[in-house]
């Protein structure tokens, strides 16, 4: 028997299993139009499954086949219909929940080791004495480094039930000693909104990280804080916000729109059109607004930005957004796994579907779309943006386009003027991050005396951190290139100092520092001057 014939029963078995799973899925989750693939027309698939089970030459692990088949079948539909195994399902939802139970750290995997980026203030890890920059080398007494050290597995081991305990061993810069701490897991708050502050004497700023369960409530708190500061203009930053819950975006948009304005509508083959309109109860219906977006702003971010643009409610500043106009329904299976199935498309008030083109089953080209935009020059010139489909019009008659994201009203090119190969290598290899951790640990006593972002930033400028980094990098394999360092000095200084500020203060201070030299922020402030 040749190899092709040998594996044919296995291939047929996978097809059978997928058919059964899809049939069961529709039968269990849709009333009125129940679909039972196995019993429609023929029992051939069901019979074949029994034949394979009874007669196939080797033992077939049906559960394993299902796990492997589900992602592949969903990938044939669209890029956003996905299968999430049981062990990853809880983690996949945590970012959009208001909280979860764990130890309270943010980390990256660097050189097959967990590197702690941030220890959440007041969380279990901070109480146990963990510091930003620590390298986690053991969990519950067992080494956790090497190829098995993945983000998914790390989160699986560090999260757990409330009041459960995990032992974590860490190494710190300058010491080979292992510090072992017993951490009692607790509730870790997940914020959607951070860096709420005044950009100037009358302009408030709010950064929205994603659209989760508590986004609207956090937004109201942020607006109340800015009201205490007397803000008259508002910048809402949705850059790098990959989305979340449609309902959260609708709630937020409602706060800024007059009564009976269309925010978004959804429609699908089996989903009747549903309109989401403002109710007129929003407290900030007339405040001048700017919304910031970029190529990583997606889904719910685009719903909000599209609603503001089509209703002529805010000026959109930045670069063209990602282009995700598909609505997913999250449906759980009894074993804890789930599917996120696309059930509809969403449309902005003018009728735009901003979903960028895709070919079913060709996720590779879809995923490299952003890289292609960069190569085609779109990050540097608005004229390079290619619009799919017809033109649409805002309430005032301005022309807007769909078929591939939200195009900003004011385009901000990416500035690569001072980017050198030295800078790219320093960033891509993680050397800047490593140096920031090292510098923080070596100078923690002094740095901890600074409680405000600006005073810490002023201190770091005097420390010539770029030169210190160049010496550090040279010892770690990145040859010193003085001319390139000079050219990229401002970029290196901003990156290095921002990470030190992040380590010592928090995410809010980090964002505020980066905004000091951000051209998109400066463009937003210019909008208000012209109004």
């Amino acid at each position: 028997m040749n190899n092709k014939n040998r594996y044919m029963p296995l291939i047929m078995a996978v097809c059978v299993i997928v058919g059964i799973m899809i049939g069961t899925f529709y039968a269990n989750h849709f009333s009125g139009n129940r679909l039972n693939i196995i019993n429609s027309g023929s029992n051939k698939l069901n019979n074949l499954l029994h034949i394979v089970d009874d007669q196939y030459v080797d033992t077939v692990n049906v559960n394993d086949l299902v796990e492997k088949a589900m992602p592949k079948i969903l990938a044939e539909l669209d890029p956003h219909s996905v299968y999430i195994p049981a062990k990853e399902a809880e983690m996949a939802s945590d970012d959009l929940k208001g909280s979860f139970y764990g130890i309270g750290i943010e980390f990256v995997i660097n050189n097959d080791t967990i590197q702690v980026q941030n220890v959440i203030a007041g969380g279990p890890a901070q109480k146990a004495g963990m510091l930003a920059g620590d390298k986690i080398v053991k969990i519950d007494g067992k080494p956790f480094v090497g190829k098995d050290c993945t983000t998914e597995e790390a989160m699986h081991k560090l999260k757990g039930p409330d009041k459960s305990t995990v032992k974590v061993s860490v190494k710190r810069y300058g010491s080979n000693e292992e510090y072992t701490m017993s951490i009692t897991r607790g509730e870790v708050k997940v914020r959607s909104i951070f860096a709420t502050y005044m950009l100037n004497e009358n302009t408030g700023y709010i950064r929205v990280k994603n659209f989760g369960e508590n986004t609207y409530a956090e937004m109201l708190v942020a607006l109340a804080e800015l009201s205490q500061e007397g803000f008259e203009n508002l910048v809402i930053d949705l850059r790098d916000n990959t989305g979340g819950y449609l309902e959260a975006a609708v709630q937020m948009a409602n706060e800024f729109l007059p009564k009976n304005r269309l925010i978004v509508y959804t429609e699908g083959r089996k989903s009747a059109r549903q309109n989401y309109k403002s109710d007129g109860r929003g407290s900030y219906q007339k405040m001048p607004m700017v919304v910031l977006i970029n190529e990583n702003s997606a889904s719910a971010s685009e719903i909000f930005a599209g609603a503001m643009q089509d209703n002529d409610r805010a000026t959109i500043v930045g670069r063209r957004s990602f282009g995700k106009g598909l609505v997913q329904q999250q449906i759980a299976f009894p074993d804890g796994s789930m599917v996120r199935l696309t059930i509809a498309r969403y449309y902005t008030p003018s009728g735009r579907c901003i979903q960028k083109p895709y070919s079913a089953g060709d996720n590779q080209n879809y995923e490299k779309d952003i890289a292609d935009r960069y190569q085609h020059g779109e990050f540097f010139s608005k004229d390079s943006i290619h619009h799919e489909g017809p033109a649409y019009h805002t309430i005032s008659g301005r022309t807007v386009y769909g078929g591939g994201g939200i195009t900003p009203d004011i385009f901000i090119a990416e500035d690569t003027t001072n980017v050198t190969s030295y800078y790219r290598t320093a960033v891509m290899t993680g050397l800047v991050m490593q140096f920031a951790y090292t510098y923080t640990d070596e100078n923690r006593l002094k740095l901890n005396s600074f409680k405000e972002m600006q005073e810490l930033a002023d201190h770091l400028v005097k420390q010539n951190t770029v030169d210190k980094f160049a010496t550090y990098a040279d010892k770690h394999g990145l040859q010193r290139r003085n001319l390139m360092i000079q050219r990229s000095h401002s970029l290196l200084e901003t990156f290095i100092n921002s990470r030190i500020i992040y380590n010592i203060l928090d995410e809010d201070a980090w964002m505020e520092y980066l905004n000091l030299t951000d051209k998109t922020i400066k463009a937003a402030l210019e909008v208000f001057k012209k109004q």
Side-chain angles (χ1 to χ4, degrees), residues 39-67:
N39 291 326
S40 62
S42 170
N43 284 327
K44 183 182 289 186
L45 294 178
N46 198 20
N47 290 338
L48 181 57
L49 180 61
H50 286 299
I51 291 170
V52 171
D53 188 42
D54 289 341
Q55 299 182 29
Y56 185 60
V57 63
D58 296 320
T59 300
V60 177
N61 186 325
V62 174
N63 289 334
D64 189 47
L65 283 176
V66 169
E67 291 296 308

Side-chain angles (χ1 to χ4, degrees), residues 384-457:
S384 297
I385 298 175
H386 175 66
H387 295 108
E388 296 283 344
Y392 297 83
H393 298 91
T394 69
I395 283 181
S396 67
R398 292 189 303 121
T399 300
V400 290
Y401 295 92
I406 301 291
T407 300
D409 302 310
I410 298 175
F411 175 81
I412 306 297
E414 182 170 301
D415 186 2
T416 59
T417 306
N418 296 321
V419 174
T420 61
S421 59
Y422 181 91
Y423 175 79
R424 287 196 188 96
T425 304
V427 172
M428 296 301 293
T429 59
L431 275 172
V432 171
M433 300 284 280
Q434 291 176 32
F435 171 76
Y437 293 137
T438 302
Y439 185 89
T440 301
D441 280 346
E442 291 179 337
N443 299 276
R444 191 174 294 277
L445 185 63
K446 175 63 177 178
L447 296 175
N448 279 340
S449 67
F450 298 100
K451 305 303 179 185
E452 300 295 331
M453 181 279 295
Q454 192 60 60
E455 63 176 0
L456 177 53

